[in-house]
Amino acid sequence: MRFYLFFILFCCSLLGQVNYPKDYFRSPLDIPIQLSGNFGELRPNHFHAGFDLKTLQKEGLPVYAVADGYVSRIKISTFGNGKTIYITHANGFTSVYGHLQRAADSIENFIKKTHYEEQSFEIEMFLKPGQMVVMKGQVIALSGNSGASEGPHLHFEFRDNVTENIINPMLFGFDKFLKDTKKPIIFNVYAYPLEDETLVNQSKRPLLLNLILQKDGTYLADKVIANGKIGFGINAFDYDDVSYNKNGVYKVQTYYNGKPNFGYQFDTYSFDEMRYINAFIDYTRYKQTQQRVQKLFMKNPFNLSIIKTDATNGVVTVVPNLTSIFRVEVSDFYGNLTSVTIPIGYEVLPTIIQKEPISKYFVKAKNESNFSKDNISVFFPAETFYEDFNLNFEVINDTLFLHNDTVPAHSNFSIEIDDHKFPESQRGKLFIASINGKKMGYNYTSRKENVFTTKVKILGKYALVLDTIPPKISIAKPIEGKWLSELKSIQFTISDGQSGIKSYNGYLNGKWILFEYDNKTKKIIHNFSDGIVAEGANELKINVMDIMGNSTIFETHFFRSQKK
C-alpha cells in the first residue's frame, strides 16, 4: 500500500510541474557555454543556485540580458555574488548575473551615483518597473571576479518572481547550449549501520563497498551482510562533453527489491532549504576528508523539497531468511544513466570494526540541552541538530572546547561567558571568538554587565578575546609628494587580525571618494575616472575602523595632472 501511495504522489508531482518556456531566453554570453559549476552542485552550507559559466579565464566579457525586462535589483557586496544585477521579465521569472566586473552604460552610472549618495561601497537598490528597462541581447555588464568568486566567471541563475525559488536553467532550454553524451560517474558507495547493534560486513562504522563494472555498463557492489537498519550513500559526479570538469548530479533514484524508495531531482528549491545540505551529505566525512557523500536515506526526516521518498525514508531493514537487492540509479538532465546493484543478506557475525569512542555527554536532537562548566555555558534549542550525537564538552583555561565541526548544526545555539578576568575599562573591546589554530573569527557578541553572549552555528573552540589593536593600512609604493598623472587608480591594502574590518572611508581634498574593496586581496582601489581628483595638489585621507571600534588614519598628499 505504501508503494502505491508513493507512486501516486510521485506521478502527481510530475503532472503538477511548471511548463517552463524553452525558447524565451538567450544565453547571457556570446561565447560557447562551458560550465564550471551546475545547478544543485554541492557547496559549503548550500546547494549551488545556478550555473557558473566559464569566461575564457579572464574578465571583461560582455554580459547580455537574456530577455526583455527591467533591472529590478542591484547589489554590490564584498562577499557572496559580489556585483550582481537582477532583471525581472514579464513571463514571471527573474534572471540573475553575479561576480560582475562592472555594469554597462546607464546602469553603471546609476550605481556610481548611488555609491556617492550613500557614501558606501556595499549598496543594494530595488528598482521599480519602467525605471531601468533593458532589451533582450542588450549588454548590461562585463564579466568579472568580484565577491567570493574563486576565479573569473559569470554566476547565472533564474528565480520565480512570486516564490523567489531558484530554478534549474536547464528547464528553460539551456540544455541546447551544451552537449552531454557522458554518463555520471559513481566513484564510491558506502553502507551505513543505523542502529547501535547493527553491523555492515562486521563493521559498526560506515563501510566502503567494492564496485565491479559489468559487461552491460552497470556496476555490481560487494554483497552486504547486515542485521537491522542500514542505509547507503554515494560519491558521484557528472561530466559533459565540453566543460571537462566535475559537476553535480541531476537525479538519483533508489529501488529496494524493485520498488522506488528514495530519490531526488534538482529542478527547483528555496533559499530557506539551502542549509539542509549538511543533513543531505555525510557531514562528518566531508569535514574529515573533503569528500561529499550524498546519503540515500534520512535517519531523521528533514524538510528538503527535492527529496521524494516512501515511508521508509530510504532506510533498509535487513531481516533473517530474506535476500534483498538495493539499486541506485544516477542520471543527468540528458538521460545518461549509471546504476549500481547492491545485494543484501542477513547474518550476525563477530564485530571487527567498533564504533567511534563514546563521549561523556549526549545530545538528543529533538530536545533542548544546556551544558555548563566554570564560567561558560552552552544552550542548544530543540532541533538545533539533525541527529542525536555524543558531545565532547570541556572548559580549559577560560577556553570552550565544544566538540568539533564534524557535526552540523542547522540553527543557532548560544554560548555565554561570565567574565571576571578583564577590568571594566576593557570590556567594551571584548568579543567571543571562534578559534581555529592561529586564526580567530569574530562573532557578534552582546553584553550585559560582565556576561557576554553570542549565537553561532558551528561547533568548535571558543574564547573571550580582547581587541585593542587597530587595523593596518599599507601601500606597495609610497606616493607622498609624487606626481601620479600616469596612473588610472590608487590602491591600498587594509587588514585587521582580530575582530575584522567594520568600515573604511577615503577622502580626497575633504570629499568622500569611492574605494572598491576586494576581500580576496584585501585591497581598496579608487579610480581617478570618478572625477574627484583635482588638478595639481591633492590631499588624501583614509580612515579604517575594526568591529570593536579601533581605528587607523592614513594621510598623504600627491600631485596629478588631467591635462594631456
Side-chain angles (χ1 to χ4, degrees):
M1 181 65 184
R2 287 176 177 173
F3 166 66
Y4 292 111
L5 178 60
F6 170 73
F7 182 77
I8 291 169
L9 291 173
F10 182 75
C11 290
C12 288
S13 68
L14 290 177
L15 293 173
Q17 287 181 349
V18 177
N19 291 319
Y20 297 100
K22 301 291 185 183
D23 299 309
Y24 189 88
F25 299 105
R26 57 154 287 166
S27 169
L29 299 173
D30 60 2
I31 59 172
I33 280 186
Q34 288 186 296
L35 296 177
S36 59
N38 65 345
F39 185 82
E41 193 168 275
L42 309 180
R43 301 284 179 89
N45 295 316
H46 71 285
F47 301 100
H48 191 226
F51 281 174
D52 282 344
L53 303 177
K54 296 183 179 183
T55 56
L56 306 178
Q57 300 181 336
K58 62 183 180 181
E59 299 183 41
L61 270 62
V63 177
Y64 300 90
V66 295
D68 294 352
Y70 71 96
V71 176
S72 55
R73 181 183 176 193
I74 300 171
K75 186 174 183 179
I76 310 297
S77 176
T78 303
F79 302 98
N81 286 333
K83 298 182 179 182
T84 311
I85 293 175
Y86 302 71
I87 297 177
T88 295
H89 308 283
N91 64 346
F93 302 101
T94 292
S95 54
V96 183
Y97 315 75
H99 301 309
L100 303 172
Q101 182 189 78
R102 63 185 296 272
D105 305 328
S106 60
I107 305 175
E108 178 66 14
N109 293 336
F110 178 77
I111 293 172
K112 188 63 66 74
K113 180 182 177 183
T114 306
H115 280 307
Y116 277 91
E117 287 177 348
E118 298 188 11
Q119 295 193 357
S120 175
F121 171 59
E122 291 200 319
I123 54 176
E124 186 170 14
M125 298 154 281
F126 295 90
L127 288 72
K128 297 178 181 179
Q131 188 174 349
M132 192 173 291
V133 175
V134 295
M135 305 301 292
K136 184 175 184 177
Q138 177 180 332
V139 176
I140 59 167
L142 299 179
S143 67
N145 187 29
S146 60
S149 171
E150 296 181 354
H153 73 278
L154 174 68
H155 174 82
F156 176 76
E157 64 185 68
F158 283 111
R159 300 185 185 182
D160 185 287
N161 290 350
V162 176
T163 66
E164 295 190 358
N165 287 357
I166 42 178
I167 305 163
N168 192 335
M170 290 292 195
L171 298 173
F172 293 96
F174 272 60
D175 54 321
K176 65 178 176 285
F177 298 126
L178 289 160
K179 184 179 180 182
D180 185 355
T181 61
K182 297 181 178 179
K183 295 180 179 181
I185 294 180
I186 301 176
F187 283 95
N188 304 116
V189 176
Y190 289 86
Y192 289 78
L194 301 181
E195 294 178 314
D196 289 340
E197 300 305 317
T198 299
L199 290 169
V200 173
N201 294 354
Q202 298 183 273
S203 172
K204 289 191 173 183
R205 300 185 192 182
L207 194 69
L208 178 65
L209 303 179
N210 184 48
L211 303 179
I212 301 173
L213 179 63
Q214 305 298 293
K215 291 181 179 180
D216 62 358
T218 65
Y219 287 87
L220 177 66
D222 289 340
K223 186 174 183 179
V224 170
I225 303 299
N227 61 302
K229 296 184 183 300
I230 65 172
F232 295 95
I234 59 170
N235 181 28
F237 298 95
D238 190 31
Y239 296 83
D240 60 45
D241 294 5
V242 295
S243 299
Y244 312 110
N245 58 284
K246 295 178 182 177
N247 290 317
V249 299
Y250 171 64
K251 180 181 179 181
V252 175
Q253 182 62 57
T254 69
Y255 300 85
Y256 183 55
N257 292 331
K259 298 178 180 180
N261 73 331
F262 189 92
Y264 47 86
Q265 185 169 305
F266 285 102
D267 286 331
T268 180
Y269 44 85
S270 72
F271 283 97
D272 292 339
E273 299 178 87
M274 287 292 198
R275 197 168 178 85
Y276 282 120
I277 188 175
N278 294 332
F280 181 80
I281 65 172
D282 181 342
Y283 186 84
T284 300
R285 184 173 300 276
Y286 165 62
K287 282 297 178 177
Q288 292 173 341
T289 68
Q290 295 300 297
Q291 181 188 62
R292 291 186 176 95
V293 174
Q294 304 167 49
K295 293 191 293 186
L296 306 178
F297 62 92
M298 293 187 291
K299 192 173 180 180
N300 292 329
F302 50 91
N303 296 318
L304 180 57
S305 63
I306 63 170
I307 292 177
K308 307 298 179 187
T309 181
D310 64 7
T312 69
N313 293 312
V315 175
V316 173
T317 302
V318 185
V319 295
N321 304 318
L322 179 64
T323 298
S324 304
I325 297 294
F326 190 87
R327 189 171 83 255
V328 184
E329 293 185 353
V330 180
S331 54
D332 60 27
F333 192 85
Y334 297 81
N336 303 304
L337 185 146
T338 300
S339 69
V340 174
T341 299
I342 308 167
I344 304 170
Y346 178 92
E347 192 172 350
V348 179
L349 299 172
T351 303
I352 295 178
I353 303 175
Q354 296 287 346
K355 292 185 67 174
E356 297 284 351
I358 297 176
S359 305
K360 180 179 179 181
Y361 302 96
F362 187 71
V363 174
K364 286 191 173 183
K366 292 185 178 181
N367 299 341
E368 63 180 40
S369 304
N370 193 80
F371 301 91
S372 297
K373 184 178 180 182
D374 299 339
N375 63 324
I376 300 179
S377 63
V378 178
F379 174 69
F380 299 125
E383 299 185 342
T384 298
F385 301 99
Y386 304 110
E387 297 178 3
D388 303 344
F389 71 102
N390 293 290
L391 172 76
N392 291 313
F393 173 85
E394 189 59 84
V395 176
I396 303 174
N397 297 327
D398 296 322
T399 298
L400 170 65
F401 294 82
L402 188 62
H403 207 75
N404 54 62
D405 188 21
T406 57
V407 176
H410 185 74
S411 53
N412 286 326
F413 58 88
S414 299
I415 298 173
E416 190 175 277
I417 301 179
D418 189 348
D419 170 63
H420 294 282
K421 176 181 177 182
F422 293 92
E424 179 62 30
S425 60
Q426 291 183 324
R427 284 182 176 154
K429 301 288 186 180
L430 292 171
F431 67 95
I432 299 176
S434 312
I435 311 296
N436 184 9
K438 294 183 179 180
K439 296 181 180 179
M440 68 176 63
Y442 172 82
N443 299 294
Y444 173 78
T445 304
S446 61
R447 174 195 169 197
K448 187 175 182 180
E449 296 180 350
N450 58 312
V451 177
F452 296 80
T453 305
T454 188
K455 292 185 177 182
V456 293
K457 287 184 178 178
I458 299 175
L459 297 172
K461 186 177 176 182
Y462 292 89
L464 199 60
V465 171
L466 176 68
D467 182 5
T468 59
I469 302 172
K472 295 180 181 179
I473 306 173
S474 61
I475 187 170
K477 294 182 179 180
I479 60 174
E480 180 84 23
K482 295 186 178 180
W483 284 87
L484 307 182
S485 304
E486 301 302 317
L487 297 181
K488 294 182 179 180
S489 62
I490 49 173
Q491 64 180 32
F492 297 82
T493 300
I494 61 175
S495 61
D496 186 82
Q498 291 188 292
S499 60
I501 291 170
K502 179 181 181 180
S503 65
Y504 63 91
N505 287 283
Y507 301 90
L508 201 55
N509 305 318
K511 294 181 180 179
W512 186 89
I513 57 172
L514 173 65
F515 272 102
E516 297 197 5
Y517 180 50
D518 183 356
N519 182 62
K520 294 185 285 292
T521 61
K522 309 300 181 186
K523 294 187 185 300
I524 56 173
I525 302 171
H526 172 71
N527 294 302
F528 288 131
S529 60
D530 286 3
I532 309 298
V533 66
E535 181 72 21
N538 286 270
E539 299 289 333
L540 176 66
K541 178 181 178 180
I542 301 173
N543 186 351
V544 180
M545 181 181 293
D546 69 20
I547 295 173
M548 302 313 298
N550 306 298
S551 63
T552 299
I553 295 177
F554 175 92
E555 294 182 285
T556 189
H557 70 276
F558 63 87
F559 300 90
R560 179 177 168 84
S561 176
Q562 275 68 251
K563 297 177 182 179
K564 294 183 179 180

